[in-house]
Structures are given as structure tokens and as C-alpha cells.
Amino acid sequence: MSYHIVDKEFRDFADDIEGVSIHYLCAPAGAEANWDRDRVTRFMPLVERGLRRLELKLPRQIVEPQTGRPTSHYTLFHYFEIFRSGDRQYSQIYAEIIDTGAKETASDASAPIRRPASRRSREIQ
Amino acid sequence: MREAAAGTVGWWKDEGGARYVAYRGAFRGSKLKLHYGFDGWREPIHEARLESAGPDFMIAEVGELDRHLAVDCAVTDGERWDNNSGVNYRLWIGFDALDAHMHMSGRGAGALGVQTLATAMASAGMVCGISSWLDNRALDQVDCAAARLFPLIWVRPGDTELDEVRARLHAGAVGLKLHPTVDGYPADDRALDPYIAITEEIGCPVACHSAPGEADPDHIRRLAQRFPSVPVIMYHTYLGPSEGRRRAARHVREQPNLYLETSWCCSDVVTGLVADVGPDRVLFGSDASIDGPSHYCRHPPNVEGRETYNDGLLKLVRGLGPNAARAVMGDNARRLFRLNGNSHG
């Protein structure tokens, strides 16, 4: 399966940051983010001092639920979870429009990433 | 005479084998009393005088130990209280409890810092624990032996260097930690094989997050099948709907090197898992101290919203009986991680 790759970076704003995770999901354009249902969490690896970077592998198309048709146009929501000095902090939630440019064919479309709800939405480990 | 156990409150035995509660905390003086109750502060509550027994600790005699499971306690000098930052102390009577699933991010003062974890452990009578963090370097900042923690190496296939794994295992790490969900790979990914081959060679286990998706028990079983001599522990026994838990238990029944760990499972669920797979295949764990110093006794309850760990463990230990409880609460982890004989094991 091919992906649409989006790079995300996080620059440490303090020396006592002990880890950063990114939480993200893809939603149809105009739809609200449903974090309990669609969340994906990934660790942000430190690629150089103070800089963390990760490639998000996003679907080339998602299914527009109202029409049932595939679309390459959707919203990516994400935020960072920052572990600092034993505590957790969260960034604001960012939203950006993604247009993968993929030809809209049903064979390449996937529903928004969904998985059974976890027992604990604030799980990390 | 035997030295008192490490920690602010612990057990101490005299030459004749009589057992006392030992206090090594900040309070000193002739007015100190141990304020205590049994099995979750059930009435009546008692007080016993603490008397000096050495240069840095005091002891109190506590009766009726054979009739109870745990002592819950605090210390007072008549005016002030040492109640472990408000979460009190617990000592298990029949065994040394070990938490097989903990996290510690370093020396920071927050919920995931080593001091908070120590407070939480003392509140639940955890003598030691197995700990990991998503950046292995965080554990380098901490004296794990002093904190009574046995570190796991967090492995990201293709990213973590094999030499680092070998070096950390030789330096005292007791196994590997896998988190397929957060690191984005299926738990049976072939890219894991070089890492698991090292554990096979050295003889240590692998602890793997289990949950819907990449960390599904079906994937974990396939990994365990490829390395039948390596114990593989399914952390959480599936952090998801009960169907997955049943499937995890079935895999453990059918695959001899698979084990269950019980963080975020209520006591009735754990009792059922032990009945299903046997007491030697289940390890108690809690994910401490994600919820801070009150991780084991938080209100509202944090285990499925209906039970605290401390309350649930009393039910579990009572229901299992002494031998099975000793296995689940520590002996299984000590056996799998080869901790017996270690100074803080």
C-alpha cells in the first residue's frame, strides 16, 4: 500500500524534555476530530540535538462517509505530547488540509484510520 | 540481626525470627508511633510505639500478622504525620510484591519521575519493579538499584542499535520492551528477529504492549512461536475490549512461552485469567506511576473506573490463596527476569 508522507518536526524548548509523542488522525474535510476512535500515536525520535522528526504515513485517499466516495482531500489533525521533568504537557491541536493529488479510485481508498477504542485514552506505554 | 528492608517503611526480623515494622523516615525521637490498620485500614485502627533499633531506623511490634494480608500505616510524633505524601505506606505480609510493569522518565519531579514512583510504590507495598521508558537514555540518569527498579530496553526495530541492546543487557537491563502501537510496526515484524535473538542467547524475556491493531495478541503469539525459548509477556493482557483478553488468554494456554501481565485489569478479571491459564503464567503489573503518587490508591478509582489497585489487590490476594498470590505478585516475574539473588530483587 502506498502512503502520502508528511514530515513533522518538534524542536525541544527546554533541556529537560524526556520524550515527545505525536497524536494524529485524518478526518473528512469539515468533520470534527474523533480522537477516541481514530487516534494514532507515534514516538518522535531525536534526530539531532534538540530536534525530533517523524514521517507520518497518511492514506492517499479516505472515504467520504456522506457520499461513500474516495477523496484525496481531507484534514490532518495533530498535537504533541511532551514528557518533561516527569510531567506531561500537550501542545495545541493543529489542523491542516491535505490534498494528496491521488486519482480518486475506490481501490486506493481507505476509511479514516480506525481501531477499537482503547480502555484508556491516555495510555502511553 | 537482619537489616531492615530498603525504603522508608519495611520489615525487620530479630534473631529469633520475630517480625517488626521498621521505619527509616525523617522523623526521630521517643514519641514516634506507628499508626496502622490491616487490609485496607479495616477497623480497628491501632498504634504501636516505635523504638530505636539501630543508628538510622526504628521498629514497632505489630501483632496478629498471621491473620491478615497487609499492614497499612503512617507514622506520627504526636503533632506531625509522615503519611508518605498523603498516600500512606503498605507492607504485604506474605510476600515481597513486585510490579512487573512500571515507567520512570528520569529524575524529574513530575508523575513519571523516580521520586514519585518511589512514593507510589511505598503506598502499595511494592518492593521493586520492572521499568521502561520510551527513551532509554532517561534510565541512565537514575540509580536503578537504589530505586529498586530493573530496567527494560525499549526497542524500535531498525532504529535501536543491536550493540546498544547488548551493552545495556550486560549493564543490568533485564529484558526488552516492545510497543508496536506507539512505534508503528506489527508485533510479529521480522525486523524484530535480530533483537529477540539476543534475548534468546542471553536468556531474558520480552515484554510487549498488547492492544488492538499492531500489538494484537495474534501478532504477539506469532513472535513467540518464532522464539519458543524466549518468554514473551503480553503487557495489559490486551488494552481493549474483553474479546481480545480472551484471545490473549487462549494464546497463553496454547503457547508455552507466552505470559499475561495485568495492568488496568480489575481484580475479578485477574482472578479469571489465573483460573484460565494458571497462576504461573500471570504477572501483576500496574503501569505505575502514570497517575502520579496516588497511582495505586487514586480516587476516583483508575482501574476501569471501578477499583483502585490497592483495593483490588487485597481481593485478588485473598481470592488466590497464599501460593498463587505469591506467584502472581512477584515470584513469576523473579523467575522470568532471573531476579533471584539480585541485591534489590
Side-chain angles (χ1 to χ4, degrees):
Chain A
M1 181 177 176
S2 62
Y3 298 99
H4 180 72
I5 302 295
V6 171
D7 278 332
K8 289 297 171 194
E9 284 188 356
F10 182 92
R11 288 187 182 276
D12 289 359
F13 53 81
D15 291 335
D16 54 355
I17 290 177
E18 297 156 334
V20 176
S21 295
I22 184 170
H23 300 258
Y24 68 94
L25 60 82
C26 301
E32 297 288 316
N34 185 334
W35 291 103
D36 285 341
R37 189 187 60 195
D38 299 333
R39 175 198 311 268
V40 178
T41 302
R42 292 284 183 269
F43 177 70
M44 297 281 292
L46 201 57
V47 294
E48 59 184 75
R49 185 177 170 79
L51 178 63
R52 301 167 194 272
R53 184 182 296 135
L54 186 70
E55 284 187 347
L56 304 187
K57 294 178 178 176
L58 305 181
R60 292 177 58 77
Q61 299 182 35
I62 67 171
V63 174
E64 168 60 58
Q66 289 176 338
T67 64
R69 297 177 60 83
T71 177
S72 58
H73 191 75
Y74 57 83
T75 308
L76 169 66
F77 293 92
H78 79 276
Y79 66 92
F80 297 104
E81 181 179 20
I82 303 126
F83 300 98
R84 183 184 180 196
S85 197
D87 274 325
R88 300 180 193 204
Q89 303 172 7
Y90 300 92
S91 73
Q92 66 182 86
I93 297 174
Y94 303 93
E96 63 190 281
I97 300 299
I98 300 291
D99 191 344
T100 70
K103 186 179 177 186
E104 296 181 354
T105 58
S107 61
D108 209 19
S110 68
I113 301 163
R114 287 178 185 171
R115 61 192 68 222
S118 166
R119 291 209 298 274
R120 285 171 57 82
S121 60
R122 67 185 189 283
E123 78 180 85
I124 50 167
Q125 270 68 259
Chain B
M1 291 190 182
R2 268 185 59 172
E3 188 75 356
T8 302
V9 173
W11 292 114
W12 181 83
K13 282 184 183 175
D14 68 13
E15 290 163 333
R19 196 146 54 149
Y20 300 80
V21 173
Y23 175 68
R24 285 179 178 272
F27 288 5
R28 285 287 179 274
S30 59
K31 294 181 180 176
L32 292 197
K33 288 182 178 175
L34 184 77
H35 183 80
Y36 69 95
F38 291 108
D39 302 344
W41 292 105
R42 290 168 68 174
E43 297 283 355
I45 305 303
H46 307 273
E47 282 198 342
R49 194 172 160 196
L50 279 157
E51 298 179 344
S52 179
D56 63 348
F57 72 104
M58 307 177 81
I59 58 171
E61 188 172 2
V62 173
E64 301 183 340
L65 293 178
D66 292 345
R67 295 171 49 196
H68 299 285
L69 303 174
V71 178
D72 294 286
C73 59
V75 170
T76 181
D77 64 1
E79 295 178 1
R80 301 169 300 160
W81 287 90
D82 178 349
N83 59 8
N84 191 27
S85 304
V87 292
N88 296 320
Y89 298 97
R90 170 172 284 186
L91 296 175
W92 289 98
I93 294 168
F95 49 82
D96 288 334
L98 182 158
D99 189 324
H101 186 170
M102 296 178 140
H103 297 290
M104 187 270 294
S105 68
R107 290 177 296 179
L112 291 157
V114 67
Q115 186 52 51
T116 300
L117 181 57
T119 301
M121 289 169 71
S123 78
M126 295 299 144
V127 170
C128 56
I130 310 289
S131 181
S132 64
W133 185 244
L134 34 74
D135 185 339
N136 291 312
R137 290 168 299 184
L139 294 168
D140 298 338
Q141 305 168 10
V142 173
D143 181 345
C144 286
R148 292 171 288 146
L149 298 176
F150 297 96
L152 299 179
I153 306 163
W154 193 296
V155 165
R156 294 187 176 84
D159 182 17
T160 308
E161 299 285 344
L162 293 172
D163 286 346
E164 180 189 356
V165 171
R166 286 195 188 90
R168 287 187 180 279
L169 286 171
H170 285 299
V174 296
L176 306 188
K177 168 67 187 279
L178 308 178
H179 201 313
T181 306
V182 163
D183 292 325
Y185 60 89
D188 56 349
D189 194 329
R190 290 277 176 186
L192 285 167
D193 288 4
Y195 303 95
I196 314 299
I198 294 174
T199 70
E200 186 176 43
E201 170 194 325
I202 291 179
C204 62
V206 174
C208 185
H209 178 84
S210 64
E214 310 277 43
D216 189 272
D218 293 1
H219 292 306
I220 299 172
R221 177 180 179 158
R222 283 193 284 272
L223 179 71
Q225 285 173 326
R226 291 210 299 272
F227 294 91
S229 68
V230 176
V232 178
I233 301 157
M234 283 194 265
Y235 269 2
H236 309 298
T237 308
Y238 193 78
L239 198 60
S242 54
E243 174 279 328
R245 282 182 184 159
R246 290 192 294 273
R247 210 153 29 85
R250 177 169 59 80
H251 289 326
V252 168
R253 285 198 308 272
E254 296 172 355
Q255 183 64 32
N257 58 325
L258 275 175
Y259 296 83
L260 302 174
E261 179 272 332
T262 63
S263 49
W264 307 119
C265 297
C266 278
S267 57
D268 56 344
V269 172
V270 180
T271 302
L273 293 171
V274 172
D276 195 355
V277 306
D280 293 337
R281 308 289 292 281
V282 179
L283 289 70
F284 166 73
S286 80
D287 234 350
S289 54
I290 281 178
D291 280 339
S294 60
H295 182 87
Y296 296 93
C297 53
R298 198 187 75 151
H299 285 281
N302 53 356
V303 183
E304 300 194 19
R306 60 188 173 100
E307 193 175 65
T308 68
Y309 278 112
N310 272 0
D311 289 345
L313 285 176
L314 288 169
K315 291 180 197 168
L316 178 69
V317 169
R318 189 175 292 116
L320 292 181
N323 291 336
R326 196 174 296 117
V328 171
M329 294 300 297
D331 282 359
N332 292 339
R334 288 186 177 87
R335 183 182 75 251
L336 294 180
F337 288 97
R338 301 186 179 188
L339 306 182
N340 289 319
N342 189 299
S343 60
H344 58 300

